[in-house]
Amino acid sequence: MDVCFFRGLLIVALTAWTLGDDGQVTFVSELSSKPAQKLSKYGWYGNVRLQRFHVPEETAIARWLFTVTRGQNFYCGQHNVTIHIRWGAPPVINPTGLVFPNATLWSPSLSLTLPVTSHSTTTFNLTNPAAGDWYIAAHLPEDDGRIEQKGFPSCSYFFQPQLSIRRAVDTPVLQQGSFLQQTAAPDKPARLKLYVPEFASSLSVSVAKCSSGDEADGRNCSLVLRLGSVAPQQNPVTVNCSGISCSTMLSNPPWDTWLRVFVESSQENRTVTFSIVSNYTVRCKPTSVGLKAEDDINGLSGNSSFPNTTSAGNSSLVTDTITLSNKSALTPLLPSACVWSIPVLYEEVDVLSLRFMAVNGPNVSVTNTHPTLLTYPLYTHATGGTLNLQLSLNTTNVTLGNSSNVVACLSPWAPVLELNHSQHCHTAMFGGYNIQVNTSVPKAVVRLPFPQSATWYLSLQLTCNSSDCGNTSVVSVIPEVLISACIEDCGKYGECRLLRSYSYLYSACVCKAGWSGWGCTDNSTAQSYSHQLTATLLLTISNLCFLPAVIVAVKRFYITEASVYLFTMFFSTFYHACDQPGVAVLCIMDYDTLQYCDFLGSVCSFWVTILCMARVKEAKYTLFMLGALLIAMSMQLDRKGLWNLLGPILCALVFMVATWVYRGARRRHCYPPSWQRWVFYLIPGIVCALIGVCVYIFAETEENYYYTHSLWHILVATCVVFMLPPKEKKREVLGWSRGWSWGWGWSWSWKPQVCGYTLCQTGKDELYTVT
């Protein structure tokens, strides 16, 4: 479930009733929680742990409890956990101060810092929070670049958020034009709500007939009137009232929503009685389109690629809309209208990919008399992407003067109904984003990562320095609005990835080749092409160090081992050639196949080498095959697990030591018996193996990976050369004395020994052979 309830959903009716004071409002409590998640150091947005909570309507108090627990017992040091909070969409964060892509606008979210040693908690209280989805994001400090091998013990921190809310269930409704008698005390404010309909242009709330019951101060009630809810980057409209009455006027209030009203008394130990009334003006209603569904179907058919099969008699919406769009400056508006409203088509293209377009075509007419309005509804499932707006001026048929501009304002919840040079792109409670195009700058772009879940409005109007725009009173613009998963698909040096927090989907860019930033456009630490080419050559050419191991294995008649080394060298070379983050990349087959073969060959190389050192003749190839099958199975389960590498190595070492101890006990002499074998071969091989493992597990970082991993290749190949035992003096398998003849004096011959119908096998035990 999206919300894991803590102790279920608890609804407790409180026993405290505010009878006679604020209209008998009842409060209930609800608790919710999320399971603990392991935190990661911040490298990109995928390292962030994102949680979503829903705050219902009429919530009076929301209290978050954040708990961070260290999972390991050994000392890990103190880390600061950063917690980001945002309403309506996931928080856009930039903890490392990187550069955002061009034309990308964002606002910092509310952040908290929690120092953690072993177990820490902190709370965040919010009075009168905005209703809707709230997003909590947490992460550890910036990643230091060290590569931690999976399965190796490391410090771990777990983050768990919990939410407790207190909400009113019977808040009085403030009706249009009707006075409502209320009472406010310092500790019991009056709570009300009013509904603002769509197309409202203004809203007024007035307080009158204020009385505190004190004759000495009867003419001064000292009330505080607040309209709206509290959220990061949003504060309610506050008016300090003195005397017996006051009022406030909101231009461009939020449309189609419930607005909270709070009246508080600033006088200590004094109850104030007052009357309150609200009025709103609706003067932006568009022309009614009627109830015929065929009209809308005809409008959609005009934008589809299928032939239009509807009758011409039912296309009134299409005709009217085209007239409104192309000749909007010449068509008079109704008295109740203040904008030309253009219908918009909403199309879901893919996951986190939406497209909006005007029903009558890409060109939208804009005049200098009234704004042109387009509406774009964004639901919760679209907030995990990026809102892209591109505004282009169509100057094919009309030429604008140097003093003429098309001004646009993109705003949530409510549109801006008056656009001019002095009017800011700001509604009563929310800020907007201003865009401007003209003949010198015919195209403008705005990108909003993680836009809020709301209805967004685009207002367009032609403005001139003088009151008269001359002969040009109508121009055409092309607004392109779409939701994409990432900004420009993360560019050349990035990859756009879809992330999931329970059922909620969002996206982020993971960068490569040293590029960074929200859209992988920050090149402050970018790698040059020569650096990328050097890294590729180091990781690929270092695998050629396996050639001596292959030659030695063939010369000593270890053909099976040589084939495994050759397999490992081939796939490790082309895997690292395909695994490079920059442009110096070569992939001869699927990346996943190359990675699997590289991991499988690496572990099998250790396996066959150690079993070869064990000198097991009869069961050698059986163990080779059985180990290879088990290793292949483990690689399929988890190829990056640490024990998938150490497990086969330890098993082979235990088997080798057991055989060496057995032979030493039978011979009553240390095995191998030659001190030269220990000093010049085994000890150097063991040292190379230990250094290679230490470099692989402890020394690799993102910055030095090209050098340390290349050193790992060299050390492993050198270790194999030292560890391979000398060839067997009388190597016979099932009676076959095999060989080969070369022109430079190296001969290898074979001759079958047949005893009847079976191949003979010698049973001589070389007890005293010095190897």
Side-chain angles (χ1 to χ4, degrees):
M1 297 177 62
D2 186 34
V3 177
C4 178
F5 285 100
F6 176 71
R7 301 177 186 173
L9 178 63
L10 176 63
I11 301 179
V12 181
L14 302 180
T15 57
W17 296 78
T18 54
L19 295 175
D21 291 336
D22 54 359
Q24 201 176 37
V25 176
T26 304
F27 294 95
V28 298
S29 297
E30 296 179 5
L31 304 176
S32 60
S33 176
K34 296 285 186 177
Q37 289 185 326
K38 185 178 179 180
L39 294 176
S40 300
K41 294 183 178 180
Y42 182 81
W44 65 295
Y45 206 87
N47 301 130
V48 174
R49 297 295 171 260
L50 185 66
Q51 304 280 14
R52 182 176 59 160
F53 289 89
H54 182 74
V55 175
E57 294 282 352
E58 305 176 21
T59 299
I61 297 176
R63 182 177 184 269
W64 277 275
L65 174 64
F66 303 121
T67 304
V68 179
T69 306
R70 193 179 68 192
Q72 299 293 338
N73 294 326
F74 55 85
Y75 179 73
C76 294
Q78 179 175 335
H79 292 287
N80 292 331
V81 176
T82 305
I83 304 171
H84 306 271
I85 305 173
R86 190 186 179 197
W87 168 63
V92 181
I93 63 176
N94 188 19
T96 55
L98 299 176
V99 177
F100 275 74
N102 294 331
T104 302
L105 305 178
W106 66 287
S107 299
S109 57
L110 178 63
S111 299
L112 304 175
T113 301
L114 177 60
V116 180
T117 52
S118 60
H119 182 86
S120 301
T121 59
T122 187
T123 59
F124 174 69
N125 298 327
L126 198 61
T127 303
N128 303 321
D133 291 329
W134 287 73
Y135 296 82
I136 311 296
H139 60 86
L140 290 171
E142 183 182 1
D143 190 3
D144 54 5
R146 190 172 71 89
I147 300 176
E148 297 182 355
Q149 302 300 329
K150 187 176 181 180
F152 197 78
S154 61
C155 297
S156 59
Y157 293 87
F158 295 89
F159 172 73
Q160 183 177 24
Q162 297 174 335
L163 173 63
S164 172
I165 65 172
R166 184 189 184 196
R167 64 181 180 90
V169 295
D170 49 3
T171 303
V173 178
L174 189 58
Q175 300 290 346
Q176 160 86 344
S178 299
F179 281 90
L180 188 63
Q181 191 79 12
Q182 290 290 300
T183 302
D187 57 341
K188 294 180 180 179
R191 301 176 179 273
L192 305 100
K193 64 179 181 179
L194 60 90
Y195 180 73
V196 182
E198 199 170 1
F199 312 115
S201 58
S202 63
L203 171 68
S204 66
V205 178
S206 302
V207 175
K209 298 180 182 179
C210 176
S211 175
S212 61
D214 189 352
E215 296 181 359
D217 197 17
R219 305 293 296 178
N220 187 8
C221 296
S222 299
L223 293 176
V224 179
L225 175 63
R226 304 182 191 276
L227 301 180
S229 304
V230 178
Q233 307 300 324
Q234 174 200 350
N235 292 316
V237 177
T238 304
V239 179
N240 293 317
C241 299
S242 60
I244 61 173
S245 64
C246 70
S247 63
T248 181
M249 174 72 71
L250 301 182
S251 298
N252 304 321
W255 286 4
D256 191 23
T257 185
W258 287 94
L259 191 66
R260 298 192 216 178
V261 180
F262 306 93
V263 183
E264 302 173 350
S265 175
S266 58
Q267 299 181 5
E268 297 182 359
N269 301 325
R270 187 172 299 176
T271 301
V272 179
T273 304
F274 60 91
S275 296
I276 187 170
V277 65
S278 68
N279 289 282
Y280 54 80
T281 302
V282 177
R283 66 180 187 91
C284 293
K285 284 187 177 181
T287 306
S288 177
V289 296
L291 296 176
K292 292 183 178 180
E294 291 82 359
D295 295 343
D296 297 330
I297 297 299
N298 292 336
L300 293 176
S301 300
N303 279 272
S304 65
S305 59
F306 300 98
N308 189 357
T309 57
T310 54
S311 61
N314 294 329
S315 59
S316 58
L317 174 64
V318 179
T319 304
D320 294 343
T321 308
I322 293 176
T323 303
L324 183 64
S325 176
N326 296 335
K327 301 179 181 180
S328 54
L330 305 177
T331 304
L333 292 174
L334 296 178
S336 63
C338 62
V339 295
W340 280 283
S341 183
I342 306 299
V344 174
L345 176 65
Y346 174 93
E347 181 180 8
E348 296 188 11
V349 180
D350 203 345
V351 179
L352 286 181
S353 180
L354 311 175
R355 182 173 57 186
F356 299 90
M357 64 186 73
V359 171
N360 305 300
N363 289 283
V364 174
S365 297
V366 180
T367 73
N368 63 334
T369 56
H370 293 83
T372 301
L373 181 64
L374 295 94
T375 304
Y376 306 103
L378 291 187
Y379 303 105
T380 300
H381 68 272
T383 58
T386 300
L387 175 61
N388 302 272
L389 168 61
Q390 177 176 299
L391 194 64
S392 303
L393 179 63
N394 189 352
T395 58
T396 303
N397 299 323
V398 178
T399 302
L400 284 178
N402 294 329
S403 61
S404 300
N405 300 283
V406 175
V407 180
C409 179
L410 180 66
S411 58
W413 299 100
V416 175
L417 303 177
E418 295 181 5
L419 291 172
N420 51 52
H421 293 286
S422 60
Q423 180 72 25
H424 296 289
C425 183
H426 196 284
T427 60
M429 296 182 178
F430 301 93
Y433 303 93
N434 192 20
I435 312 167
Q436 182 173 300
V437 292
N438 48 40
T439 54
S440 59
V441 185
K443 182 181 295 185
V445 178
V446 169
R447 301 185 180 98
L448 304 178
F450 296 159
Q452 282 187 305
S453 177
T455 299
W456 290 74
Y457 299 90
L458 179 62
S459 303
L460 303 164
Q461 190 167 356
L462 176 63
T463 61
C464 307
N465 289 336
S466 60
S467 59
D468 187 10
C469 291
N471 297 328
T472 304
S473 59
V474 180
V475 296
S476 294
V477 296
I478 304 174
E480 299 179 28
V481 179
L482 58 92
I483 298 291
S484 62
C486 298
I487 298 176
E488 295 184 350
D489 203 21
C490 299
K492 184 178 180 181
Y493 292 96
E495 179 184 352
C496 185
R497 294 187 180 179
L498 289 178
L499 308 173
R500 183 174 63 88
S501 175
Y502 302 96
S503 61
Y504 179 76
L505 289 177
Y506 58 105
S507 60
C509 289
V510 55
C511 306
K512 54 187 179 181
W515 290 76
S516 55
W518 192 267
C520 299
T521 55
D522 191 321
N523 61 353
S524 57
T525 59
Q527 301 173 3
S528 62
Y529 176 76
S530 60
H531 187 279
Q532 299 175 29
L533 184 60
T534 302
T536 303
L537 292 177
L538 279 175
L539 289 171
T540 53
I541 295 178
S542 60
N543 286 282
L544 297 180
C545 292
F546 276 95
L547 283 177
V550 174
I551 295 173
V552 170
V554 172
K555 188 174 181 179
R556 297 178 183 178
F557 305 132
Y558 297 120
I559 307 302
T560 304
E561 291 83 345
S563 63
V564 174
Y565 303 151
L566 191 63
F567 177 91
T568 303
M569 181 187 69
F570 177 84
F571 281 102
S572 180
T573 299
F574 286 100
Y575 163 65
H576 286 291
C578 184
D579 188 48
Q580 295 311 300
V583 294
V585 180
L586 174 63
C587 296
I588 63 172
M589 61 181 66
D590 183 65
Y591 173 83
D592 188 70
T593 302
L594 291 173
Q595 185 187 66
Y596 179 83
C597 293
D598 172 52
F599 284 45
L600 177 63
S602 301
V603 180
C604 286
S605 296
F606 286 103
W607 175 256
V608 299
T609 302
I610 299 175
L611 289 182
C612 183
M613 295 171 60
R615 292 283 198 177
V616 181
K617 296 182 179 180
E618 291 79 4
K620 177 179 178 179
Y621 295 101
T622 302
L623 293 175
F624 278 3
M625 181 60 67
L626 179 60
L629 293 175
L630 293 177
I631 292 171
M633 179 196 68
S634 64
M635 288 293 121
Q636 181 65 28
L637 293 176
D638 185 10
R639 68 188 63 170
K640 293 185 178 181
L642 180 63
W643 287 103
N644 286 339
L645 173 64
L646 295 182
I649 294 177
L650 293 178
C651 291
L653 285 174
V654 169
F655 189 81
M656 183 194 71
V657 170
T659 57
W660 283 11
V661 171
Y662 173 73
R663 290 182 179 179
R666 288 188 61 186
R667 300 179 182 185
R668 297 183 181 181
H669 196 281
C670 179
Y671 186 86
S674 174
W675 66 269
Q676 293 93 339
R677 184 69 185 168
W678 283 97
V679 173
F680 296 109
Y681 295 98
L682 294 181
I683 293 179
I686 293 173
V687 171
C688 289
L690 291 177
I691 295 176
V693 171
C694 291
V695 169
Y696 181 79
I697 295 178
F698 302 106
E700 285 188 354
T701 64
E702 295 289 345
E703 295 183 357
N704 66 13
Y705 175 79
Y706 315 111
Y707 313 105
T708 55
H709 202 76
S710 299
L711 181 60
W712 157 258
H713 291 162
I714 297 172
L715 290 172
V716 168
T718 306
C719 169
V720 171
V721 174
F722 280 112
M723 289 294 190
L724 274 177
K727 68 177 180 179
E728 301 176 7
K729 292 185 176 181
K730 292 183 180 180
R731 178 159 185 167
E732 296 178 356
V733 179
L734 297 179
W736 289 82
S737 178
R738 300 168 296 179
W740 193 265
S741 178
W742 297 86
W744 49 82
W746 181 27
S747 62
W748 178 24
S749 61
W750 65 91
K751 181 176 66 175
Q753 300 177 359
V754 182
C755 300
Y757 295 100
T758 62
L759 297 178
C760 298
Q761 180 180 7
T762 178
K764 181 179 178 180
D765 188 10
E766 302 174 5
L767 297 179
Y768 302 101
T769 302
V770 178
T771 59

